[in-house]
């Protein structure tokens, strides 16, 4: 725990009831569940803490009043512990929410996203939003980050398989965060590939592997997985699997009914930002890059895209099947998709017809002919939501009645009836079995993880409710194909192993990480530094029986698909085969990332944060451009600096200036500003650093480059972002400072300070600024310009909480016209 955390913890502990103790979180290092942030919008940070008293978790919020910290409110918590605790802007940028992952029985987590209301804290997360593992971060999308955190929810479905939903807050509810799919789902696919390697005869493993491949946009391995599932005994929803197979064939076999086959989303860097289109198998941009966002074509031949901030659905001719009028459109599942507009969630078919008769606060994806939904009591926003299910026509086939609910699979779903009461129901809502335990997880491979006691260990029940494996684990993942990954650690250092359905260890516990790679293969992870396990693992490949096939060679390994898995070592990314060795006849790419076989034989390479497509022999079919053309003769070239696996910078270099000496000087400054500096090559750094840039503004002779960076110390709660602007006159290479915009001798500092101070005081959007933190604008205040305005900004923590990001202000030039130096070189560079 760092010093700041210690002070917060001590202060919070001093206000706890007698006998109460702060809750501690084990990962990535032991620390108290305590944080400071402006939760109620009064411009002063509150202190929030989770504590345990009288056998239950509670929340305490303190605020500073009349020179002392006093209790602002309390709230009841859930479960027996906390896996995540912090202040992140989830429901809107610039305003932190208290975000908590409550640990429940059976290895499950209940995410809570608290907003401040008149009555104190209100959980904005629906009661059916739960998972087995939760991650929260402002995930990069196609246009970078949006200032709001997304949640990645891993929910155990059966055996070792998970349904993973990446969601973000849109229009008053959580919805699929499609922009972040490309960033997050490759890792999800790698995990599920491992499951099928463990138990190749389990149809459910192949089913969820196929689903993961589809979400990742990989139809070829998805098709192979579907066919494996159909060849197994008792495949889940055979009709659904056959429909999926037909859709995948339509994508992979180009014919009159499959115009979407062989189209791949591709991005182009422009002066106007990153734009997306689609290339064909030859690498030709057949759909011009006109979209803000473009997703993979789905098995039904449709793709979700965005224009002007709204989402719609196109066919392979780039014609809209669903016009871009929605805030979000999910992937299609069983011919249905959920959309979100100003009214809420609705269900549509593949022609865009709205099937539901009303909007709901939440609708999940269609699974096994049912889509889970919930409703909130009218006139009682703080009341408990109740869950039910819609059928494929949008009708409420099972009315809202459950406290919690899971998706259907194989004609069954788990629902929570009340505290200490769970039930397995059929597709009409009839109870098949009831379980009287404080926690029960959904069925997987015929078994359900459970806890006898609220704070006890995990074991497994069969579907009738008989205890098959006695509670013995500190966490227990779902069974898949006769195997489950369990954890026996009692402290912050994980100790993972693999058990069979009799509870016998196939792989003895003791690993820092274990991944099911599918096709009867596992990745066994040993900590790079046993004293700092959060730094990561090196992986060896093992078979279903626990036999190790390789040494600990890999820094990352993906799931197996058609006998191949993407893997990376210290220097390259490549395919390995089921022996765990590099697969012959496939390319190797320098850098860290993933390779994916695409329909038509192309290989998608997402390596070192850049996308490209390769041919089997390693030739490049397409890659994102590294030169951004400006007005001739000018251009901005992207160069890469990666001296260490954990240090990666993409930095700009200007081309086309008439004065070559000035150009060299500008480019040296840009390298320095981008943090291109000596970094040891072979040392294990104590942090990761990534840097990138974009053309923020270009007009006439003025080029403005935004240089961003992110330094993340291993084990820290979060990293530190940086942002600076290089504002260059392309005629002589001069880089402008703030003072250059104003007349010599003018008191621009006071004028700007007063304007910003007034905005902070009067504009509600700046309510997050700490009271008395703003002391005015500095003479060299960070800033950037646009065509009609000046934008001063502040770094995180300068005047506001970390969660506020870079507080930025807009000052129209018309507001400071009297002091602008309109005859100066800065102004004339873009107002000639």
């Amino acid at each position: 725990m760092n010093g700041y955390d210690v002070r917060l913890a001590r202060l919070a502990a001093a206000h706890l009831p007698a006998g109460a103790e702060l809750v501690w979180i084990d990962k990535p290092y032991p620390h108290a569940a305590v944080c400071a942030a402006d939760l109620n919008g009064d411009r002063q940070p509150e202190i929030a803490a989770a504590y345990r008293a009288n056998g239950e978790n509670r929340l305490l919020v303190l605020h500073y009043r009349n020179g002392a910290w006093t209790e602002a409110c309390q709230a009841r918590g859930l479960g027996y512990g906390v896996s995540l605790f912090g202040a992140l802007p989830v429901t809107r940028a610039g305003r932190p929410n208290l975000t908590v992952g409550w640990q429940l029985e059976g290895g499950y987590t209940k995410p809570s996203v608290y907003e401040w209301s008149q009555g104190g804290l209100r959980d904005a997360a629906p009661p059916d939003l739960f998972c087995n593992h939760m991650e929260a971060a402002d995930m990069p999308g196609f246009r970078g980050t949006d200032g709001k955190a997304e949640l990645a929810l891993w929910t155990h479905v059966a055996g070792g398989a998970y349904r993973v939903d990446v969601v973000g807050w849109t229009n008053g509810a959580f919805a699929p965060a499609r922009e972040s799919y490309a960033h997050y789902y490759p890792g999800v696919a790698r995990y599920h590939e491992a499951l099928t390697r463990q138990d190749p005869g389990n149809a459910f493993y192949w089913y969820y592997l196929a689903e993961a491949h589809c979400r990742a946009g990989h139809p070829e391995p998805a098709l192979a997985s579907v066919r494996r599932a159909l060849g197994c005994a008792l495949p889940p929803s055979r009709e659904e699997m056959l429909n999926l197979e037909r859709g995948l064939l339509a994508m992979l076999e180009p014919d009159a009914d499959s115009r979407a086959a062989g189209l791949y989303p591709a991005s182009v860097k422009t002066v106007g930002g990153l734009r997306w289109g689609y290339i064909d198998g030859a690498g030709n941009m057949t759909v011009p890059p006109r979209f803000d966002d473009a997703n993979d074509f789905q098995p039904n031949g449709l793709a979700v895209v965005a224009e002007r901030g709204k989402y719609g659905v196109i066919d392979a001719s780039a014609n809209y099947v669903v016009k871009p009028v929605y805030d979000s459109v999910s992937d299609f599942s069983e011919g249905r998709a959920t959309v979100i507009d100003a009214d809420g969630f609705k269900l549509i078919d593949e022609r865009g017809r709205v099937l539901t008769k009303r909007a709901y606060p939440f609708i999940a994806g269609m699974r096994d002919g049912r889509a889970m939904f919930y409703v909130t009591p009218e006139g009682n926003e703080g009341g408990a939501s109740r869950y039910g299910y819609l059928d494929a026509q949008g009708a409420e086939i099972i009315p809202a009645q459950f406290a919690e609910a899971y998706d259907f699979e194989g004609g069954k779903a788990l629902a929570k009836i009340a505290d200490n009461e769970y039930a397995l129901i059929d597709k009409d809502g009839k109870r098949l079995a009831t379980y009287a335990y404080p926690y029960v997880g959904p069925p997987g491979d015929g078994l359900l993880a459970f806890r006898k006691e609220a704070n006890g260990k995990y074991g497994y029940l069969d579907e009738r409710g008989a205890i098959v494996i006695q509670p013995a684990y500190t966490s227990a993942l779902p069974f898949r194909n006769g195997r489950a990954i369990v954890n026996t650690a009692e402290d912050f250092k994980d100790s993972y192993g693999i058990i069979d359905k009799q509870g016998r260890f196939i792989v003895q516990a003791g690993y820092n990480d274990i991944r099911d790679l599918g096709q009867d293969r596992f990745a066994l992870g040993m900590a790079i530094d046993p004293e700092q396990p959060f730094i990561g693992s090196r992986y060896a490949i093992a078979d279903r029986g626990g036999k190790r096939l390789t040494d600990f060679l890999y820094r990352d390994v993906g799931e197996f698909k058609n006998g191949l898995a993407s893997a990376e070592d210290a220097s390259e990314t490549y395919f390995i085969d089921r022996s765990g060795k590099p697969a012959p006849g496939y390319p190797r790419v320098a850098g860290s990332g993933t390779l994916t076989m695409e329909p038509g034989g192309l290989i998608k390479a997402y390596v070192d944060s850049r996308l490209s497509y390769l041919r089997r022999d390693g030739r490049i079919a397409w890659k994102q451009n590294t030169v951004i053309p400006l007005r001739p003769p000018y251009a901005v070239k992207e160069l890469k600096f990666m001296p260490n696996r954990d240090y990666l910078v993409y930095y700009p270099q200007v081309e086309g200036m008439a004065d070559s000496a000035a150009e060299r000087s500008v480019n040296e400054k840009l390298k320095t500003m981008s943090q291109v500096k000596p970094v040891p090559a072979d040392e294990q750094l104590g942090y990761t650093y990534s840097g990138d840039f974009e053309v923020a503004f270009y007009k006439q002779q003025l080029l403005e480059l935004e240089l961003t960076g992110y330094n993340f110390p291993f084990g820290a709660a979060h990293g530190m972002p940086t942002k600076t602007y290089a504002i260059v006159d392309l005629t002589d290479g001069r880089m402008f400072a703030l003072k250059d915009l104003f007349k010599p001798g003018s008191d621009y500092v006071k004028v700007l300070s007063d304007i910003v101070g007034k905005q902070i005081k009067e504009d509600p959007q700046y309510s997050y600024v700490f009271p008395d933190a703003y002391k005015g604008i500095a003479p060299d205040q960070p800033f950037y310009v646009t065509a009609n305005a000046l934008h001063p900004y502040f770094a995180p923590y300068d005047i506001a909480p970390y969660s506020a990001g870079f507080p930025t202000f807009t000052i129209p030039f018309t507001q400071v016209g009297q002091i602008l130096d309109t005859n100066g070189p800065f102004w004339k560079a873009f107002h000639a």
Side-chain angles (χ1 to χ4, degrees):
M1 192 188 294
N2 59 45
Y4 181 61
D5 290 331
V6 169
R7 290 195 298 272
L8 290 180
R10 289 174 178 168
L11 198 157
H15 289 78
L16 298 183
E21 294 183 346
L22 290 174
V23 174
W24 280 70
I25 303 174
D26 292 335
K27 299 176 182 178
Y29 59 93
H31 61 288
V34 59
C35 68
D38 178 12
L39 300 175
N40 63 6
D42 64 356
R43 304 186 184 184
Q44 298 187 57
E46 283 72 48
I47 294 176
Y51 71 92
R52 193 160 185 82
N54 300 321
E56 72 172 12
N57 286 334
R58 293 193 63 83
L59 287 175
L60 170 68
V61 179
L62 304 174
H63 59 190
Y64 195 72
R65 295 292 184 272
N66 300 320
W69 288 98
T70 59
E71 181 179 313
C73 71
Q74 291 223 24
R76 184 179 178 183
L78 299 170
Y80 68 93
V82 172
S83 61
L84 179 73
F85 193 92
L88 294 167
V90 177
T91 59
R92 67 171 175 169
R95 172 66 66 80
N97 301 95
L98 182 61
T99 305
V100 184
W102 299 108
Q103 291 180 311
L104 307 179
E105 299 295 334
Y108 281 82
T109 291
K110 173 64 180 73
S112 288
V113 179
Y114 292 99
E115 292 183 315
W116 192 270
S117 66
Q118 289 183 349
L121 292 177
R122 174 186 175 275
D123 190 358
D128 66 336
L129 193 68
F130 49 89
C131 56
N132 296 95
H133 173 66
M134 170 185 175
E135 295 179 336
D138 187 2
M139 300 180 189
F142 302 131
R143 297 179 295 276
T145 56
D146 63 356
K148 294 194 296 183
E150 287 75 34
L151 306 181
L153 309 176
W154 291 64
T155 302
H156 175 217
V157 181
Y162 285 77
R163 184 186 73 245
V164 181
D165 296 299
V166 180
V167 299
W169 189 262
T170 305
N171 260 4
F174 283 102
R178 298 192 58 86
E179 264 210 357
S180 299
Y181 279 15
H183 167 76
Y184 198 81
Y185 272 101
V188 178
R190 288 195 297 270
Y191 170 81
H192 284 89
E193 279 181 340
L195 292 176
T196 56
R197 286 197 299 274
Q198 298 172 21
D199 191 349
N202 189 308
F204 286 88
Y205 280 9
W206 291 106
Y207 172 87
Y208 283 101
L209 175 57
E211 182 177 79
H213 283 320
C214 285
R215 286 202 171 198
H218 305 147
E220 190 171 50
L223 178 61
S225 299
V226 169
R227 287 173 169 170
R228 288 295 298 267
L230 288 167
C232 297
L234 301 175
S237 185
R238 186 174 183 84
E239 181 181 355
E240 178 184 347
M241 300 299 287
L242 289 170
N243 287 336
L244 180 57
E245 180 187 44
R246 285 192 289 270
L248 290 167
L249 285 170
M251 290 186 68
L252 294 168
E253 299 175 4
D255 54 31
D257 298 322
S258 180
R259 303 183 65 191
L263 289 179
Y264 313 91
S267 56
V268 178
K269 296 180 91 172
T270 73
V271 172
L274 203 64
R275 309 295 290 173
W276 286 80
Y278 290 88
I279 62 169
D280 61 17
N284 302 310
M285 187 69 75
T286 57
V287 179
R290 73 172 198 257
F291 302 110
D292 301 331
D293 186 351
N295 292 269
D296 292 300
F297 275 91
Q298 298 174 44
N300 58 6
L302 304 177
V304 175
V305 298
E307 284 193 272
R308 296 179 293 278
K310 294 292 183 179
Y311 283 85
V313 180
I314 61 170
D315 61 20
S317 298
N319 296 319
Y320 276 105
V321 177
V322 179
K323 293 187 180 300
V325 296
Y326 294 107
D327 296 316
S328 176
V329 179
S330 75
D331 283 335
F332 283 90
S333 176
E334 302 180 22
R336 302 294 183 264
T338 56
V339 298
I340 304 175
D341 60 16
D343 298 322
F345 281 74
K346 299 173 183 177
L347 195 70
I348 66 169
D349 64 16
E350 290 173 336
R351 288 186 284 176
R353 294 182 301 181
V354 175
L355 303 173
T356 41
K357 295 181 180 179
R358 55 163 289 189
Y360 292 85
F362 176 76
I363 302 175
M366 188 68 63
R367 297 287 187 275
D368 203 9
R370 298 290 182 265
M372 179 179 61
F373 73 92
Y374 76 77
V375 294
T376 303
E378 292 186 15
N380 183 14
E381 291 186 0
S385 297
R386 307 303 290 178
Y387 293 82
Y389 295 89
L390 304 173
D391 63 17
Q393 287 70 48
E396 294 184 9
I397 190 70
I398 302 177
Q401 58 187 285
F402 306 115
E404 297 175 2
Y406 290 81
D407 284 336
F408 271 88
E409 181 181 354
K412 295 176 285 188
L414 186 77
K416 181 177 181 180
I417 309 303
D419 289 345
N420 295 299
E421 184 180 6
Y422 289 80
L424 197 64
I425 61 173
D426 67 15
K427 294 175 74 171
D428 295 319
K430 178 183 176 182
R431 294 193 194 186
L432 304 174
T434 303
Y435 316 107
Y437 292 103
Y439 170 79
V440 179
D445 211 4
L447 301 180
L448 304 89
F450 83 107
R451 265 182 161 176
K452 282 185 179 179
E453 302 171 353
N455 298 319
K457 293 187 176 180
Y458 299 96
Y460 293 90
L461 306 169
D462 65 20
E463 292 186 358
R464 296 173 299 173
I467 297 176
V468 176
I469 301 175
Q470 291 291 336
Y473 315 109
T474 52
S475 66
L477 302 184
F479 266 92
R480 279 294 189 182
N481 296 326
R483 298 289 186 268
I485 298 171
V486 296
N487 192 355
T488 63
E490 300 288 349
D491 56 20
F492 74 98
K493 294 182 180 179
D494 287 315
S495 183
Y496 285 102
I498 304 171
I499 61 171
D500 63 16
K501 295 181 74 172
Q502 288 71 49
R504 296 174 300 202
F505 275 100
I506 303 301
V507 174
Q508 288 296 321
Y511 290 95
N512 190 53
D513 185 24
I514 294 182
R515 299 177 182 178
D516 187 343
L517 305 179
Q519 298 184 4
D520 292 337
R521 295 295 180 265
F522 288 90
L524 310 180
M526 295 294 290
I528 294 171
D529 181 350
E531 297 305 313
Q532 301 182 85
F534 46 80
I535 286 179
S537 301
R538 288 189 176 90
Y539 294 93
I541 307 301
D543 64 17
R544 171 181 165 80
K547 178 183 178 182
R548 232 174 61 201
L549 305 178
T550 72
D551 202 350
F552 295 90
L553 304 173
Y554 304 112
R555 293 296 296 267
D556 197 12
V557 186
E559 296 175 353
F560 274 90
K561 306 169 186 177
N562 300 322
L564 298 175
S566 177
E568 61 167 279
D569 56 24
S571 59
E572 291 182 311
T573 299
Y574 45 87
F575 285 118
I576 59 173
D577 59 26
R578 294 180 70 252
S579 73
K581 298 176 182 178
Y586 292 90
R588 300 170 72 108
V589 182
S592 301
T594 60
L595 302 182
T596 307
M597 289 298 302
E598 295 290 311
L602 287 185
I603 298 170
K604 179 188 288 184
Y606 189 76
V607 176
D608 291 344
S609 299
R610 289 297 186 263
L611 176 67
S612 63
Y613 291 92
L614 310 175
R615 306 190 192 284
R616 178 77 175 267
D617 60 7
R619 289 179 299 145
I620 295 174
W622 178 91
K623 68 176 182 178
Q624 185 176 293
N625 57 306
T626 57
V627 176
I628 305 172
L630 307 176
R631 179 173 55 83
Y634 303 118
V636 176
K637 185 176 182 179
E638 172 189 284
L639 295 183
K640 174 181 173 182
F641 177 68
M642 191 176 184
N644 184 290
R645 185 181 186 276
D646 294 318
Y647 199 99
L648 171 63
V649 174
Y650 289 97
Y651 64 96
Q653 296 283 269
V654 176
E655 297 181 334
M657 291 177 60
D659 187 334
S660 58
E663 183 176 289
R664 285 193 300 271
S665 177
V666 166
N667 287 334
E668 284 301 315
K669 291 177 183 176
L670 290 174
K671 289 175 66 175
T672 300
M673 295 171 70
S674 300
Q675 298 300 307
V676 175
K677 61 183 182 180
V679 175
D682 300 321
E683 287 185 20
Q684 174 60 59
L685 302 180
Y687 63 94
T688 62
Y689 182 82
S690 59
D692 212 330
F693 77 94
E694 66 176 28
V695 176
F697 178 67
Y698 172 61
K699 184 179 179 182
Q700 296 179 12
Q701 297 301 311
L702 190 72
L703 172 65
E704 189 170 68
L705 298 166
E706 181 188 68
L707 312 175
T708 56
Y710 191 76
N711 185 300
F712 185 84
F714 291 122
H718 59 73
M720 180 57 68
T722 57
K723 179 166 65 175
T724 189
Y725 288 84
I727 304 175
V728 184
D729 187 332
L730 293 175
T731 57
D732 57 12
R734 178 175 178 176
M735 287 194 181
F736 293 115
L738 181 59
K739 63 181 178 63
D740 299 325
L741 193 58
F742 302 100
K743 294 176 180 178
S746 64
D747 195 355
Y748 72 91
V749 173
K750 183 180 187 308
V751 173
L752 300 181
S753 296
D754 290 345
I755 293 173
V756 171
K758 184 177 181 182
Q759 291 184 17
I760 292 173
K761 183 178 180 180
E762 298 179 356
D763 192 335
Q765 71 170 302
Y766 299 116
S767 61
Y768 57 78
V769 174
F770 289 138
D772 303 322
Y774 174 70
K775 304 299 182 184
I777 294 293
D780 58 350
Q781 184 71 34
F783 76 101
Y784 63 92
V785 297
T786 51
N788 300 306
L790 166 69
H791 305 272
Y793 66 92
F794 293 82
Y797 291 129
D798 278 356
I799 62 171
Y802 173 87
S803 57
F806 295 85
T808 303
F809 302 85
T810 297
I811 302 175
F813 289 136
T814 55
Q815 197 170 354
V816 292
Q818 291 185 342
I819 61 171
L820 282 175
D821 187 2
T822 55
N823 292 316
F826 191 167
W827 184 261
K828 285 190 171 182
F830 65 119
H831 290 91

